Amino acid sequence: TPPVFAIYVVMLVTRWLRDEVGGLEEQGRRNRAKATVLYEAIDASEGFYRGHADPDSRSQMNVTFRLPSDGLDARFVTEAAARGLAELRGHRSLGGIRASIYNAMPIDDVERLATFMDDFATRTL
């Protein structure tokens, strides 16, 4: 028996991409724009936020970075959650921060996170 539910979900996602988003090229453009917003916040922080990946190897789906200390990582996650920015704790073995900005994440939420990042760095420095 084929995995009917998985096939059904793929159908729903592909229809969403086609009808609501405007196709794969448009979704790719949106994903690049979202990633750019966060990487610009990281790069503009003058080293307060340090990305895990080399700039030429950065992910468009999972933006990962560290703050100057583990204590600040924890404070960042706590304060972000209080503002409705959830699930930012990094991978359990790497630590740091991980912002997952998959296809369904709206650009407005990514911009809200970037604004919070700027504010947090300013208040902390």
Side-chain angles (χ1 to χ4, degrees), residues 20-113:
E20 300 295 323
V21 176
L24 291 176
E25 286 182 24
E26 176 59 17
Q27 186 63 51
R29 185 198 66 74
R30 290 180 185 188
N31 288 340
R32 285 187 299 279
K34 292 185 295 186
T36 296
V37 167
L38 292 183
Y39 288 122
E40 284 178 353
I42 291 168
D43 294 341
S45 75
E46 298 179 359
F48 184 77
Y49 299 113
R50 298 166 317 218
H52 287 202
D54 290 330
D56 61 341
S57 300
R58 289 174 164 174
S59 171
Q60 290 183 15
M61 296 292 110
N62 287 295
V63 177
T64 58
F65 56 95
R66 287 190 169 288
L67 284 78
S69 71
D70 291 342
L72 282 176
D73 284 350
R75 187 172 137 206
F76 179 94
V77 169
T78 299
E79 289 188 24
R83 290 167 176 75
L85 301 165
E87 303 302 326
L88 291 168
R89 188 174 317 280
H91 189 274
R92 67 181 172 271
S93 64
L94 289 176
I97 308 298
R98 178 178 62 187
S100 294
I101 54 173
Y102 289 95
N103 294 338
M105 174 67 69
I107 186 81
D108 293 345
D109 289 348
V110 174
E111 289 169 345
R112 223 165 38 96
L113 175 57

